[in-house]
Amino acid sequence: MGNQQSPDSSRLEEENKALALRYHNELFQKGQLEVADEILSPDFIIHNPVLPEAVRNGPEGTKKYAAAIIEAVPDRKLEHHDIIAKGDKVLIRWTNSGTNKAPLFGNPPTSKAYIATGFDLFRISNGRIMELWQQYNFASWP
């Protein structure tokens, strides 16, 4: 019985999963940039040194990040394979695909399809996403 969760911790982990999914689905897939103000802490940070500094901090940075992706990859598709929650953390394993139609962070458009796979690890506190650690790999980049 030592491994069983309380109903409260199980409920909180389900709420945290839903919040992490909103980050992917509403911000990056649907382009609802205003959602960043609802779900992200003012001090939110993305731990991903590949991204420009201007898009790694706070809801405003995330809006810039999402807007850049939306413009560069209008046919983007984000598929979730695993979603795991434990305590204040949620891990999502994903595949992203689409066609690079516009410049993205200084890289010219290729008009070719790509596939990227990755993991996002979210830390959530008091109903807000506080931090995101992001690792990805391009299975194909044009």
Side-chain angles (χ1 to χ4, degrees):
M1 296 253 180
N3 264 348
Q4 289 189 349
Q5 293 183 304
S6 73
D8 285 342
S9 66
S10 180
R11 179 187 50 77
L12 183 60
E13 288 173 355
E14 289 305 311
E15 290 172 3
N16 287 348
K17 281 183 189 179
L19 201 59
L21 286 170
R22 286 187 72 193
Y23 179 89
H24 279 180
N25 295 333
E26 293 178 27
L27 279 169
F28 286 87
Q29 191 61 45
K30 294 179 182 173
Q32 298 171 339
L33 302 183
E34 69 281 359
V35 169
D37 296 316
E38 287 179 44
I39 68 172
L40 302 177
S41 161
D43 299 325
F44 172 74
I45 185 166
I46 299 174
H47 301 281
N48 180 340
V50 173
L51 294 176
E53 184 74 32
V55 303
R56 288 191 256 161
N57 296 296
E60 291 306 314
T62 298
K63 290 176 193 177
K64 290 176 188 172
Y65 180 22
I69 297 292
I70 290 161
E71 181 179 346
V73 189
D75 64 342
R76 70 208 165 277
K77 180 180 178 205
L78 187 57
E79 182 180 355
H80 298 117
H81 305 292
D82 292 300
I83 305 168
I84 301 166
K86 181 155 178 73
D88 65 348
K89 305 278 191 329
V90 175
L91 179 74
I92 300 178
R93 183 174 67 89
W94 51 263
T95 298
N96 175 275
S97 59
T99 309
N100 178 218
K101 295 284 193 178
L104 182 60
F105 304 131
N107 297 306
T110 64
S111 296
K112 294 182 181 176
Y114 75 90
I115 297 172
T117 59
F119 293 88
D120 285 355
L121 177 63
F122 298 86
R123 183 176 70 83
I124 299 169
S125 178
N126 297 316
R128 297 283 182 121
I129 301 172
M130 307 298 288
E131 295 180 89
L132 167 60
W133 290 264
Q134 189 173 65
Q135 294 289 318
Y136 51 83
N137 188 14
F138 288 102
S140 70
W141 183 256

